[in-house]
């Protein structure tokens, strides 16, 4: 049985996924940027947003930031990678 049923065969652009999710949340989507750095087994995504949008990205008690990280870990698992999201 094929374990990849429903998973697209093309590569998932994880930094684009994170940037699109963040842009949908904030008031200044043009200021959202995501940089990535990769070592042998993990991808580090560093997201920067406008200073005025930081509260929207973090959310009450960090719930939005935590949710973004959970979704990114799920997307990374589909791409067979490990990911860490850093918000600045």
């Amino acid at each position: 049985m094929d374990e990849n049923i429903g998973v697209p065969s093309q590569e998932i652009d994880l930094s684009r996924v994170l940037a699109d999710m963040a842009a949908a949340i904030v008031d200044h989507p043009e200021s959202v940027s995501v940089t990535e750095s990769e070592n042998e087994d993990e991808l580090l995504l560093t997201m920067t947003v406008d200073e005025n949008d930081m509260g929207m990205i973090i959310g009450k008690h960090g719930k939005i930031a935590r949710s973004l990280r959970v979704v990114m870990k799920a997307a990374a698992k589909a791409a067979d990678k490990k990911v860490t999201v850093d918000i600045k």
Side-chain angles (χ1 to χ4, degrees), residues 15-45:
S15 60
R16 173 77 181 215
V17 171
L18 180 59
D20 288 347
M21 286 191 303
I25 296 171
V26 298
D27 287 334
H28 302 84
E30 67 281 353
S31 68
V32 173
S33 68
V34 177
T35 57
E36 59 181 70
S37 60
E38 190 169 359
N39 61 19
E40 60 276 352
D41 64 341
E42 188 171 13
L43 177 66
L44 172 64
L45 299 176

Side-chain angles (χ1 to χ4, degrees), residues 59-73:
K60 289 187 178 185
H61 304 289
K63 287 185 179 181
I64 301 296
R66 193 173 314 118
S67 297
L68 288 171
R69 288 183 174 112
V70 167
V71 170
M72 291 310 301
K73 285 185 189 286

